[in-house]
Structure formats: C-alpha cells, structure tokens
Amino acid sequence: MFGLLLTTVGTFFLEIGSSIGKYEVSHRREDIYTMAFLNHFGGFLLFILLVLWQGDFRFSIYSLPFWLLQMGSEALHIWLAGKATIKSDRSTWGFLRMGTVPILLICDALLGYDIQPLQYVGILFIIMTLFLLYKQHGFTRKGVGWVIAATINAALAITLYKHAITYYNSVAAHQLVSGIFVMAFVTWLCKHHRHHHPLRLYKEKLFVTQSLSFAFGGILDSFAYTLAPASIIVTGKRCASALFTILAGNFYFHEERLAVKLFAFVILCIGMVFLAFQT
C-alpha cells in the first residue's frame, strides 16, 4: 500500500512538470528536447546527493546487458513521450497509458511474481474504462499514435529497470548511472537542434519549478518500484495520472467532457482497490 501512496504523490509532481512543459512548448519558449533536459536534470542532481548521503552505490557489472537495453528504450522514450505530451490532450495521455499495465502484468508473471486473481479483475476494470471512454468520445484521437507507442515502449523500460534494481543494483546507483547517459543524450539533442545549452533556462523561476517538480516526482516513483511488483506500481501511477491529467486538462488546457472522464476515473479507482488488497 505504501508503494501506491509513494507513486501517487510522485505522479502529482510529475504532472505539474509535464503540464508546465506542454504549456511552454505550445508557446514556443522551449521544445521537446529542452523539455526533456529540464525534466531529467533536477532528478540527476538529486540522485547524486542521495548517493553521497546514503553511501550506497551498488552497480553490478552483470546488470550491464539489462542496463544497455534500458538505455536504448529510454532514449526512444524521450522522443516518443515528448511528442505524445505535446501532440495529445492531457486526459488522452493519462488514460491511454493505462495500456502499460496489462503488458507489465504479463512481464511480472514471467519474472516470477505471484499475481492474484483479484488483480486480474482490477485489470479488467481498467480495460472497461478505456472501452467506455472510446465509446463516449472521452478522449480525442489527436496524438493517439504517439501515446500508444510511448506506452508500449514504457513497459519494456520499466521491466528492465525493475529487474535491475531487484537483482543487481541499488536504486540510487542505477538511476545515477542512467542519469549520466540520459543527460549526455538530451544535452546533445538540445545543442544539435537548438544550438544552445538549456541551463540558460534556469534563470527563470517557472523552468526551475518544472525541473524540480519532475525531479522530486521521479525520485518518489523510482523507490516505489522497490515496494511492489512493477504492474501494481504502474497501475497506481497510471490511475493517479488519469485523475491529475483530467484536472489539468480541464482547468489548465480547457479540455471538454469532464463528467465522462470523472466517471471513468471512478471505475479506475474500483480496479485500483482490487490491486491494492493484494499488495
């Protein structure tokens, strides 16, 4: 249960960062590459401090095959998620990403986790929610392809991450080493496409807020995966994301059909209860 609480709070801060990024990109004050830099830089610094504070740096050489695969998936995800965030509505992004959960459930079963029957019932409620939204036009088709691609790719990255921190590496060490790769990658993207260093944006409070929100949310979410199977944590994260994206989409981006989306969220909560009882 604590893992679900941790990822819910983390998702709240991640949504703040994402909404700021989407708004700023739409007003051409940043692009998807500078958004990726801002979303990762703060977390990278916090994980450096965390490793220094804990003194727990465990990164096994045997994890390298899984880490390399994860980094390839992470690089792809930076591009896919950036496109999906900008091109889709916030509520569409929040709801369709629930598709990650059935994929992760299969992966958890293959990795040896004991998935109980009630947890499959919870997944069924999630599928019912997506069907309801589709029939009631609860989300638009704008950017749907990008969201689906990001959803499928996220399942691979999460599975590799969960496997690495379960059998090989400490959370802080794994995220720090991964952060070095990600920061080098997004810095190159920024300089290649915009020919400037995104650190200049840290002169403005709004961009600092975007970066720190993503950093804090990312840290909470990372540790949540140590407390439960990946399919359960991602289900909690996606349910929380659905609510926060509904609210952000309605009040911040003026999206429509709030009543249908809130009713769909209630069904999601029922599914989440079935999952939580088994955590």
Side-chain angles (χ1 to χ4, degrees):
M1 182 64 74
F2 184 67
L4 290 175
L5 176 63
L6 205 62
T7 196
T8 298
V9 176
T11 300
F12 172 73
F13 284 97
L14 289 171
E15 178 56 30
I16 291 175
S18 293
S19 293
I20 293 174
K22 179 179 174 66
Y23 183 85
E24 294 302 308
V25 171
S26 67
H27 287 75
R28 301 184 183 279
R29 299 189 67 206
E30 60 181 275
D31 58 20
I32 62 172
Y33 306 110
T34 52
M35 182 176 69
F37 183 94
L38 292 170
N39 289 350
H40 288 89
F41 183 67
F44 176 61
L45 294 181
L46 288 180
F47 274 112
I48 292 176
L49 295 176
L50 191 60
V51 167
L52 294 174
W53 177 57
Q54 289 184 331
D56 181 22
F57 189 89
R58 290 180 289 109
F59 191 90
S60 172
I61 192 173
Y62 298 106
S63 70
L64 282 177
F66 303 99
W67 181 81
L68 289 171
L69 286 173
Q70 183 194 344
M71 290 305 97
S73 182
E74 290 287 354
L76 178 61
H77 190 71
I78 288 170
W79 180 60
L80 291 175
K83 289 287 189 180
T85 298
I86 301 310
K87 293 183 175 294
S88 66
D89 290 342
R90 292 308 298 153
S91 52
T92 301
W93 169 254
F95 278 119
L96 285 185
R97 287 196 306 162
M98 294 299 299
T100 304
V101 179
I103 301 172
L104 284 173
L105 195 67
I106 296 172
C107 293
D108 280 342
L110 293 174
L111 290 173
Y113 287 103
D114 186 20
I115 307 300
Q116 301 298 318
L118 280 180
Q119 293 173 327
Y120 288 101
V121 174
I123 298 301
L124 179 61
F125 274 97
I126 293 169
I127 296 173
M128 288 171 54
T129 302
L130 295 178
F131 180 75
L132 170 68
L133 287 168
Y134 175 76
K135 295 296 289 185
Q136 296 298 321
H137 306 288
F139 51 74
T140 65
R141 294 184 179 182
K142 184 174 62 175
V144 165
W146 292 106
V147 178
I148 292 174
T151 296
I152 295 172
N153 183 68
L156 173 60
I158 292 169
T159 299
L160 292 168
Y161 168 73
K162 174 67 176 179
H163 184 76
I165 65 171
T166 299
Y167 297 106
Y168 301 106
N169 307 328
S170 64
V171 172
H174 187 91
Q175 292 290 63
L176 178 57
V177 175
S178 300
I180 293 172
F181 169 85
V182 170
M183 291 313 306
F185 179 65
V186 296
T187 300
W188 175 80
L189 286 175
C190 289
K191 297 190 74 172
H192 179 73
H193 290 276
R194 291 291 295 270
H195 307 292
H196 71 79
H197 202 290
L199 281 176
R200 296 177 182 176
L201 296 176
Y202 280 87
K203 296 177 181 178
E204 300 186 38
K205 292 181 180 179
L206 185 64
F207 294 119
V208 173
T209 301
Q210 176 186 342
S211 186
L212 291 181
S213 294
F214 231 92
F216 185 63
I219 283 183
L220 294 182
D221 189 55
S222 296
F223 281 99
Y225 286 98
T226 66
L227 302 173
S231 58
I232 307 305
I233 294 301
V234 173
T235 298
K237 178 180 179 179
R238 294 299 192 247
C239 288
S241 178
L243 175 60
F244 298 144
T245 53
I246 288 171
L247 298 177
N250 183 258
F251 295 109
Y252 198 45
F253 297 103
H254 309 295
E255 297 173 9
E256 299 178 348
R257 303 189 68 81
L258 177 62
V260 172
K261 294 171 183 177
L262 288 176
F263 179 72
F265 174 72
V266 171
I267 301 178
L268 283 179
C269 287
I270 295 173
M272 188 175 176
V273 168
F274 282 112
L275 288 166
F277 276 136
Q278 300 294 320
T279 303

